[in-house]
Structure formats: structure tokens, C-alpha cells
Amino acid sequence: MTVANDNEVGVDSSPGELLRAATRLFGELQGRNFACCDVNSATQCVILTTLVREGEQTLTSLARRLNLDKAWLSRSTDDLVAQGYLLKVPHPTDRRALHLHLTATGVQAAEDLDTQLNAQAARVLARFPVSERAQVLRVLAGLTQALQAELDGEEGGAC
């Protein structure tokens, strides 16, 4: 692998190496922002930002969406309830299910984090020459679509 200890990627890196390096570095940057989030864990920050972006969900659908163990997610959401960021309310038609609703405090925390993440993305994009920024955004949009298609396709499985 040509990724050096100082996180610099060589120009001869394979597409897989480049994508893994970019993903790892992006994860590190997000982790730094999550450390500034007012909740207790990165998982809780992801829960907040997912719910503010996608709206209320059941615990089961959120566990599936985030690829998290339902018991782990339940404990994390219980903690968010205790902190006043989240409400768990009975599902209107399924007694076994709970809907997750952000409180006003939860919405504000998620929006604050989203603002931090967007500012960080703007700083990263600003490192590109102005003439290349639109192209970078097009490539990112295409990469996002390709990754989603891979997840949705028959070959998107891990093993």
C-alpha cells in the first residue's frame, strides 16, 4: 500500500487505496467534529444527524439504516432520551415499535453539528483551485451515486 504514515497518498495508488484513504481521512475529520458534539458518543451524533436529515423513524428502521445492532442502538437512544435530545413514542399502528422524535434541543444539536460539518467540507473544498471545485463536486455526486448503486445491487454484499 502506498499510503504513507503521514497520510499522504502516492499518485500511483490504486483506486481502492485512494478510496480507502479518502474514507479513512474523512472519518477522522468527522470524528474531530463529533468530539465537539454535545452528546456522549459519535454514534449518538450520527443518530441525531440522521434523524434531523431523514425525519422520525422506528428504532428498527434506524438500526437497519445505520447498520447498527438494535440493542446497541436502543441503549444509545435511551441515553439521548435521558439527555433531553430524543423522545421515544409508541408507534401509532404497531404496539411493538417505537418512533424516535428529536426534541427541540436535539434538533438544535444536530443542526449545530451539521453546520460544523458543512463548514469543514467548505474548508476542504477551498483547498482546490476555484477552477476545479465544480468538477470535484460533480465527481463526489457521481461517487455517491455509484456507492449507493453498489449497496443496492446484487453484488453489494460483503462476502
Side-chain angles (χ1 to χ4, degrees):
M1 187 162 167
T2 59
V3 177
N5 290 334
D6 61 356
N7 288 330
E8 296 215 10
V9 179
V11 290
D12 60 342
S13 296
S14 73
E17 289 173 316
L18 289 170
L19 190 54
R20 286 189 298 276
T23 302
R24 186 187 72 253
L25 292 169
F26 180 71
E28 285 181 36
L29 284 172
Q30 287 225 307
R32 290 180 186 180
N33 279 297
F34 289 160
C36 301
C37 187
D38 289 335
V39 298
N40 296 331
S41 71
T43 299
Q44 291 176 358
C45 291
V46 171
I47 292 167
L48 290 177
T49 55
T50 300
L51 290 174
V52 81
R53 184 178 57 252
E54 298 178 8
E56 68 180 54
Q57 299 183 38
T58 63
L59 190 63
T60 301
S61 64
L62 187 61
R64 226 178 284 122
R65 172 74 176 98
L66 298 178
N67 196 28
L68 293 173
D69 175 72
K70 190 175 172 184
W72 173 261
L73 184 64
S74 183
R75 286 189 296 277
S76 293
T77 55
D78 285 345
D79 197 30
L80 288 169
V81 168
Q83 294 176 66
Y85 292 109
L86 188 65
L87 295 173
K88 287 184 176 182
V89 298
H91 190 283
T93 59
D94 184 353
R95 295 180 329 164
R96 298 167 298 161
L98 292 172
H99 259 218
L100 304 174
H101 292 272
L102 289 175
T103 63
T105 303
V107 169
Q108 187 61 56
E111 288 175 350
D112 290 349
L113 179 58
D114 195 48
T115 298
Q116 291 173 16
L117 294 171
N118 287 339
Q120 180 183 68
R123 287 191 306 273
V124 169
L125 189 60
R127 294 178 183 275
F128 287 90
V130 173
S131 61
E132 294 179 15
R133 291 180 192 167
Q135 181 181 1
V136 169
L137 291 174
R138 280 192 301 277
V139 169
L140 286 174
L143 178 60
T144 300
Q145 291 173 346
L147 290 169
Q148 188 63 58
E150 185 72 13
L151 282 171
D152 294 342
E154 292 179 16
E155 297 176 24
C159 300

